[in-house]
Amino acid sequence: MNPHHQTAQFRPLFKPIFLGTVHPRSELAQHRRGGNSQKCVRAGGKHNDLEDVGRDTYHHTFFEMLGNWSFGDYFKEEACSMAWELLTEVYEIPRDRLYVTYFGGDSLLGLSADEECKDVWLRLGVPASHVLPFPLKDNFWEMGDTGPCGPCTEIHYDHVGGGRNAAALVNKGSPDVVEIWNLVFMQYSREVEGNLLPLPQHHVDTGMGLERLVTVLQNKRSNYDTDLFTPILDAIHKGCGGPRYQGLVGDADVGCVNMAYRVVADHVRTLCVCITDGIYPGLSGAELVLRRILRRAVRFCSEVLHAPPGLLASLVPTVVEVLGNAYPELTKNEDQIMDIINENEAAFLSSLERGRRIIERTVQQMEPSTNFPAEVAWSLYANLGFPLDLIDLMLEEKGISLDSAAFNELALEDAERKAGGPQAGQRDDTNTRLDVHSLAQLQSDNVPATDDSPKYAYRLGQHGQYEFSPCQATILMLYRGQSLQKEVGSGQRCGVILDRTNFYAEQGGQDSDQGYMMRLGQQDILFPVESVQLCGGYVIHEVTAVETLRAGDQVQLFVDEAKRLACMTNHTATHLLNFAIRHVLGDNTEQRGSHVTAERLRFDFDTKGPVTVEQLQQVEQVVQDVIKQNEVVHMAEVPLTLAREVQGLRAVDEGYPDPVRIVSLGVPVESVLTRDSEAAMQTSVELCCGTHLLQTGAVEDLTIISERQLVKGISRVIAVTGGQAKQAREVGQCLAMEVDSVSLRMKQRSTSIPEMQNLSKEVGQLTKVVASTAMPQWQRKELQAILKALQRTANTAIRKLEIQQAEEKVQSLLAKHCNQPVIIDTVPADSLSILMKVVNQLCDKSPGTSVLLLSPQASGEVLCACQVSKNCLPVFSAADWAVAVCTQMEGKAGGSPIVAKGSGNAKDIQGALTTALEFAQSKL
């Protein structure tokens, strides 16, 4: 297995270089080679080791990756030579213990064997018996279903040695012969259709797992025997009190205790690293994968190690001790990591108990010698989050098998449903995402990158209105069906590449512009622009060609100014909100993401707990103060090196083009850039490529209409501005008045049960409206608290009135049926609840008496309630009594031996009373 298949940060970062789509002005585009160490997680998607982890001694969900990279610089000769030198000369690993593999070719794909790579190894002195060919699945690396890929060569290490030839054990899953380094030669791009196309340039991407390397250098046979894991394994032993870790695998590992040690040690490292990096156990994507990892660890703690709850979180300080020096961010988040693990563990243990009960009940109802029903297993998996291997294990303990074929069918249906879900509403971007070869062709043909600076060409007019400068452009190329074209016919959708544009392409969390273009001299036909994307410096406009479009056509561009201005307003408001949140919640509050559309803005940020009503009000007040001050929004492009010196500015990574654009509210950019200036600490200063207002006053108003915790430690707010904000406030005021009205009527303490029930119903309806209507979130929280209290008050009042009414009826019934062993009668009652209370009180006041009461309703229904004296049990059952009576009235009933209730129709109420008496007499 390849240890460097991963979900990690550097490969996606470098992917634009591999594909040639990197922005030509970015710092990233200047790199020719690199080396790095990175945190990697491999537990989901194409490269998934999750179920292997723990079974052997060398697979991990989290591992540290050592890598070197070439971006069109060196290739196979140098990559192999450097790897061999490092391993054999610097680390002094014995050469006779190393084996290398290379790609043996694939006739179906028309790919020949990588003889070039084989020859390189032979020239480096590797014996021919140690240079081994392997097929596509072992020695052809792919990032995903599409994208950069190519043949790879792997270096394997024989832990046994002693002069033996271990070639037959390479790639056979032997714990003694393990791959330690993989060198990938990026030569191809896998297209959507599945075909392979050569990349314009060749690249190298290598990966060596630190854990496996440390095992070799510390002369151990297992990664778990190195000092990266032994402190954690010791802490597990201390926490669970069972037998110590012995390194056993397979059949020798009785009860899977050693496997459990490995699973827990590995998974707790993964949890610590991911939670620190802002990925939390959740319900989709990477968050869902992390939830599965956590639950797998909890299961092994609980089911195999029989550890008390909390063991997993108790290991966090040990992990921090092992990894903290290399990753100091872990030390700052120790308490948060433990809280999140404990919270998720408690939730899963609760689900585990529920799942056990479901399995028990299902097994009891099953016919002998049948498979466990797939739909029940799927429900456990999908709704309770049960890992499939846990379901198998619990069924195996009962000697039952799962109907796997039916389960897989359900899984397939679910996958297809999800695949068609979110994507159904997404735009097809095949005409706006340049493929790697078209991009390379544009660059080799010296087609200039699009000048999109006109998107910033707007000003405030004499009366404060925004004026957007007109823009005239020339069509340089058209793009359709993954190919560059000089001409596109009428009625076809295509991508239009211009020499210049004033359209904003989707980036930086801001939606793209929409609008239209017109050919010069042809003012009666417009070509709608539906979306705009940026790729490798080229801006691609998605257009429907109403008539034939040709390269060389001159066009006039018209941005949808209303949508653009709404995006500008919401983007500037996002910066204001970011500043206000940091001002109120503290400077340590970091942005975690944002999205700006014409309708609203979304902002995610760190938080130590739920944001309070007072904090929400304070944040809105800070924003409104800056709006009222009508601060000037200063924007300027500055060299990346200068931007990195600005105090208080969040980390600047290599993905930004150089120069970068700085947006500063109220303080000129020159002042922000002054040495030792703290201006950026006092106002909003951010790197941003988005389009912004020129003064904050145009935001007019901002209100937060939603705030919720995505996961513990991360809050998401949604806000609206301008007229929408004003409308939300007005709606909030109207609802507040309605709540006041209900509150006032509730205080008058009506003595009518129907009136109180109507008030209770009104409170319930208001609660739903308040929860779902766009209004200030601080006000929503306030009203929800009031409505919750009102609902309690209404319920209490209704209960008291019902008891009061019941007492009055009881007095008259006691007088009528003095000291009788059985009371059977009809009585007026507004509800079954009141009728039950009359029955209960009668029995309390007349111990030893059994009671059945019927209450005819205006609707024609008859309510029935009964209670049997404990002295009459078990011969006399209330449930049987009610069933007999309600069956006579063509109705239904149910309950316990002591208390029961039901209903029927009023056709033969006298017959029902007779049945009630005869049943009671037969039992007494």
Side-chain angles (χ1 to χ4, degrees):
M1 299 293 291
N2 301 341
H4 91 303
H5 294 166
Q6 61 202 300
T7 304
Q9 57 206 17
F10 285 96
R11 185 162 293 107
L13 175 66
F14 295 147
K15 185 176 176 180
I17 301 180
F18 299 148
L19 291 173
T21 60
V22 66
H23 196 289
R25 288 194 292 120
S26 73
E27 189 175 321
L28 206 56
Q30 315 312 315
H31 291 312
R32 305 301 294 160
R33 54 171 69 186
N36 72 294
S37 171
Q38 63 181 301
K39 295 177 279 188
C40 302
V41 172
R42 179 169 62 174
K46 185 176 176 68
H47 307 296
N48 183 353
D49 282 346
L50 184 55
E51 294 308 319
D52 288 324
V53 172
R55 296 182 191 280
D56 59 35
T57 60
Y58 51 90
H59 277 102
H60 302 289
T61 51
F62 160 73
F63 52 98
E64 297 177 79
M65 178 60 61
L66 312 174
N68 56 293
W69 312 76
S70 165
F71 310 116
D73 186 11
Y74 62 81
F75 203 45
K76 296 178 185 178
E77 180 90 38
E78 298 88 338
C80 296
S81 178
M82 287 191 289
W84 194 249
E85 181 185 347
L86 180 66
L87 294 177
T88 62
E89 295 179 27
V90 179
Y91 295 152
E92 298 181 347
I93 295 172
R95 294 169 185 240
D96 63 348
R97 289 196 178 204
L98 296 175
Y99 295 79
V100 296
T101 66
Y102 66 94
F103 178 51
D106 188 278
S107 55
L108 288 176
L109 286 173
L111 295 173
S112 55
D114 193 354
E115 296 292 337
E116 179 189 359
C117 178
K118 175 186 176 183
D119 292 342
V120 168
W121 288 120
L122 293 173
R123 285 199 300 275
L124 286 169
V126 182
S129 60
H130 284 220
V131 182
L132 313 167
F134 278 91
L136 193 82
K137 74 178 182 70
D138 295 303
N139 277 77
F140 194 90
W141 191 90
E142 302 198 53
M143 189 181 294
D145 294 329
T146 60
C149 56
C152 61
T153 181
E154 301 170 348
I155 304 171
H156 296 249
Y157 177 79
D158 177 16
H159 283 284
V160 175
R164 72 170 184 167
N165 187 319
L169 297 176
V170 172
N171 277 337
K172 290 293 186 286
S174 166
D176 293 326
V177 181
V178 177
E179 180 213 337
I180 55 172
W181 203 344
N182 188 8
L183 286 63
V184 179
F185 306 124
M186 299 279 195
Q187 293 176 237
Y188 304 100
S189 173
R190 173 81 71 181
E191 301 302 296
V192 177
E193 298 79 13
N195 55 314
L196 291 172
L197 294 176
L199 285 170
Q201 284 188 307
H202 290 168
H203 311 283
V204 174
D205 161 11
T206 85
M208 174 161 54
L210 175 69
E211 291 77 8
R212 295 188 184 186
L213 178 64
V214 169
T215 302
V216 173
L217 297 181
Q218 292 185 357
N219 200 25
K220 304 291 185 184
R221 293 284 286 271
S222 157
N223 295 3
Y224 293 91
D225 293 336
T226 67
D227 55 15
L228 289 169
F229 286 94
T230 49
I232 305 170
L233 295 169
D234 290 343
I236 294 170
H237 172 252
K238 188 178 176 184
C240 71
R244 280 190 172 278
Y245 177 69
Q246 297 172 285
L248 303 174
V249 294
D251 294 340
D253 182 19
V254 179
C256 297
V257 171
N258 289 264
M259 177 180 174
Y261 266 95
R262 289 188 289 269
V263 166
V264 174
D266 171 272
H267 289 9
V268 74
R269 283 170 26 115
T270 305
L271 289 163
C272 288
V273 168
C274 287
I275 291 169
T276 298
D277 282 355
I279 298 170
Y280 304 87
L283 298 174
S284 64
E287 289 82 6
L288 178 60
V289 173
L290 196 64
R291 186 175 84 150
R292 285 180 181 148
I293 289 171
L294 185 142
R295 291 186 161 200
R296 190 168 186 256
V298 169
R299 173 170 84 72
F300 275 94
C301 282
S302 169
E303 304 277 312
V304 182
L305 296 176
H306 307 294
L311 171 68
L312 201 57
S314 75
L315 303 174
V316 171
T318 308
V319 175
V320 171
E321 199 176 308
V322 174
L323 297 177
N325 285 340
Y327 304 111
E329 61 270 24
L330 285 168
T331 58
K332 297 176 193 169
N333 291 281
E334 194 172 310
D335 290 342
Q336 183 196 25
I337 298 166
M338 292 175 74
D339 286 347
I340 289 172
I341 289 174
N342 278 330
E343 197 175 276
N344 279 272
E345 179 183 47
F348 181 49
L349 288 173
S350 162
S351 295
L352 204 59
E353 191 50 45
R354 283 199 299 274
R356 250 199 214 93
R357 288 199 291 268
I358 290 168
I359 288 175
E360 294 285 353
R361 190 180 67 226
T362 308
V363 169
Q364 285 170 10
Q365 294 170 350
M366 280 169 56
E367 296 291 328
S369 307
T370 55
N371 285 334
F372 191 81
E375 56 273 16
V376 178
W378 178 256
S379 180
L380 290 169
Y381 176 78
N383 300 322
L384 290 182
F386 266 47
L388 186 54
D389 60 350
L390 171 57
I391 297 170
D392 284 335
L393 187 75
M394 293 172 84
L395 294 179
E396 192 181 308
E397 289 168 358
K398 298 182 179 300
I400 296 169
S401 299
L402 172 63
D403 185 350
S404 298
F407 183 93
N408 291 338
E409 203 173 305
L410 289 171
L412 188 63
E413 284 173 17
D414 183 69
E416 286 170 354
R417 189 165 54 249
K418 283 176 179 170
Q423 283 77 7
Q426 290 178 2
R427 186 182 299 280
D428 177 9
D429 61 4
T430 52
N431 292 320
T432 54
R433 298 282 183 194
L434 289 176
D435 69 286
V436 59
H437 303 288
S438 298
L439 188 52
Q441 188 182 328
L442 285 171
Q443 291 163 345
S444 65
D445 292 346
N446 294 317
V447 175
T450 310
D451 171 18
D452 63 352
S453 59
K455 69 188 178 189
Y456 300 124
Y458 49 89
R459 64 187 185 90
L460 278 174
Q462 189 178 349
H463 304 293
Q465 79 281 14
Y466 278 82
E467 296 175 350
F468 296 85
S469 299
C471 183
Q472 189 176 310
T474 303
I475 297 178
L476 299 179
M477 194 64 69
L478 300 161
Y479 182 68
R480 174 174 167 76
Q482 291 202 309
S483 71
L484 297 171
Q485 299 178 13
K486 295 282 186 181
E487 184 178 302
V488 169
S490 172
Q492 294 186 319
R493 183 173 284 187
C494 64
V496 178
I497 300 169
L498 304 169
D499 61 338
R500 62 200 305 268
T501 185
N502 59 348
F503 275 78
Y504 183 84
E506 182 181 345
Q507 57 181 322
Q510 179 179 327
D511 263 11
S512 78
D513 280 338
Q514 289 178 321
Y516 61 93
M517 57 178 70
M518 299 177 83
R519 255 197 298 251
L520 284 186
Q522 193 181 30
Q523 297 298 300
D524 56 344
I525 295 177
L526 58 85
F527 299 86
V529 177
E530 296 170 25
S531 72
V532 191
Q533 302 289 338
L534 180 67
C535 189
Y538 297 98
V539 177
I540 303 103
H541 308 71
E542 186 177 21
V543 169
T544 300
V546 182
E547 277 196 356
T548 301
L549 279 172
R550 296 179 181 85
D553 282 353
Q554 301 278 297
V555 290
Q556 188 84 23
L557 306 178
F558 298 88
V559 169
D560 179 336
E561 294 182 5
K563 183 180 186 230
R564 161 69 80 85
L565 186 55
C567 283
M568 285 162 56
T569 302
N570 286 343
H571 206 149
T572 301
T574 304
H575 285 216
L576 285 172
L577 187 63
N578 188 5
F579 168 70
I581 286 170
R582 292 183 67 152
H583 182 80
V584 172
L585 300 182
D587 286 335
N588 292 331
T589 308
E590 289 291 334
Q591 177 178 340
R592 288 290 188 172
S594 68
H595 188 226
V596 175
T597 68
E599 292 75 32
R600 55 181 50 190
L601 62 98
R602 189 196 79 211
F603 189 79
D604 302 344
F605 59 97
D606 291 333
T607 176
K608 290 179 179 172
V611 184
T612 65
V613 166
E614 293 72 26
Q615 286 170 333
L616 287 168
Q617 288 174 312
Q618 288 167 18
V619 167
E620 285 192 8
Q621 191 57 55
V622 171
V623 172
Q624 282 153 18
D625 288 346
V626 183
I627 291 171
K628 283 174 191 165
Q629 288 157 15
N630 200 19
E631 297 281 9
V632 173
V633 181
H634 299 273
M635 292 167 271
E637 287 196 340
V638 302
L640 193 58
T641 49
L642 276 180
R644 286 195 168 114
E645 301 302 317
V646 176
Q647 285 191 46
L649 199 62
R650 69 171 185 270
V652 183
D653 64 38
E654 294 166 335
Y656 283 95
D658 191 5
V660 292
R661 190 171 176 80
I662 288 184
V663 178
S664 171
L665 301 189
V667 179
V669 175
E670 309 88 81
S671 303
V672 169
L673 294 173
T674 307
R675 184 178 290 279
D676 299 327
S677 167
E678 291 189 0
M681 312 287 280
Q682 313 303 322
T683 186
S684 166
V685 179
E686 294 190 41
L687 297 185
C688 184
C689 59
T691 55
H692 285 269
L693 296 172
L694 301 174
Q695 289 181 261
T696 60
V699 176
E700 294 178 1
D701 194 6
L702 176 141
T703 188
I704 295 167
I705 59 169
S706 168
E707 183 277 328
R708 67 185 179 91
Q709 284 204 299
L710 289 179
V711 291
K712 190 164 185 178
I714 301 281
S715 267
R716 166 169 290 176
V717 296
I718 293 171
V720 289
T721 58
Q724 282 182 286
K726 184 184 176 187
Q727 186 181 1
R729 290 188 193 284
E730 287 170 355
V731 168
Q733 287 305 312
C734 289
L735 286 171
M737 287 167 67
E738 285 192 48
V739 171
D740 282 345
S741 167
V742 174
S743 189
L744 196 63
R745 282 178 283 144
M746 196 78 79
K747 283 175 183 170
Q748 292 167 356
R749 298 283 180 181
S750 168
T751 54
S752 160
I753 290 178
E755 270 184 36
M756 286 306 296
Q757 285 173 332
N758 286 338
L759 275 175
S760 175
K761 193 174 179 183
E762 201 176 328
V763 169
Q765 288 168 339
L766 263 176
T767 300
K768 286 180 183 174
V769 172
V770 165
S772 60
T773 304
M775 62 184 292
Q777 179 69 8
W778 64 263
Q779 193 170 32
R780 189 196 318 278
K781 285 188 168 185
E782 279 190 348
L783 295 183
Q784 284 173 328
I786 294 168
L787 287 166
K788 192 174 180 182
L790 288 175
Q791 192 69 70
R792 279 200 303 266
T793 302
N795 292 344
T796 303
I798 291 166
R799 194 165 57 251
K800 283 182 178 176
L801 287 170
E802 286 180 346
I803 289 168
Q804 191 180 323
Q805 273 196 24
E807 280 173 353
E808 292 167 9
K809 297 180 193 305
V810 165
Q811 292 308 320
S812 62
L813 284 165
L814 279 174
K816 184 177 175 182
H817 304 277
C818 188
N819 296 325
Q820 291 186 20
V822 177
I823 296 175
I824 298 168
D825 210 337
T826 60
V827 64
D830 291 335
S831 67
L832 189 56
S833 174
I834 294 174
L835 192 65
M836 286 297 297
K837 285 182 173 66
V838 175
V839 169
N840 295 152
Q841 288 187 33
L842 264 176
C843 291
D844 286 346
K845 292 184 185 294
S846 179
T849 300
S850 296
V851 179
L852 184 143
L853 298 178
L854 300 179
S855 180
Q857 302 294 297
S859 62
E861 184 184 32
V862 177
L863 304 178
C864 171
C866 65
Q867 184 169 330
V868 168
S869 168
K870 289 180 182 175
N871 302 336
C872 303
L873 296 175
V875 177
F876 195 1
S877 160
D880 293 345
W881 198 11
V883 166
V885 172
C886 291
T887 303
Q888 169 72 27
M889 297 189 295
E890 299 176 357
K892 291 182 178 178
S896 69
I898 295 177
V899 181
K901 58 188 175 182
S903 64
N905 63 54
K907 286 179 190 172
D908 186 16
I909 195 164
Q910 197 54 51
L913 289 168
T914 305
T915 300
L917 183 60
E918 287 173 356
F919 185 93
Q921 287 172 341
S922 73
K923 300 295 180 184
L924 293 173

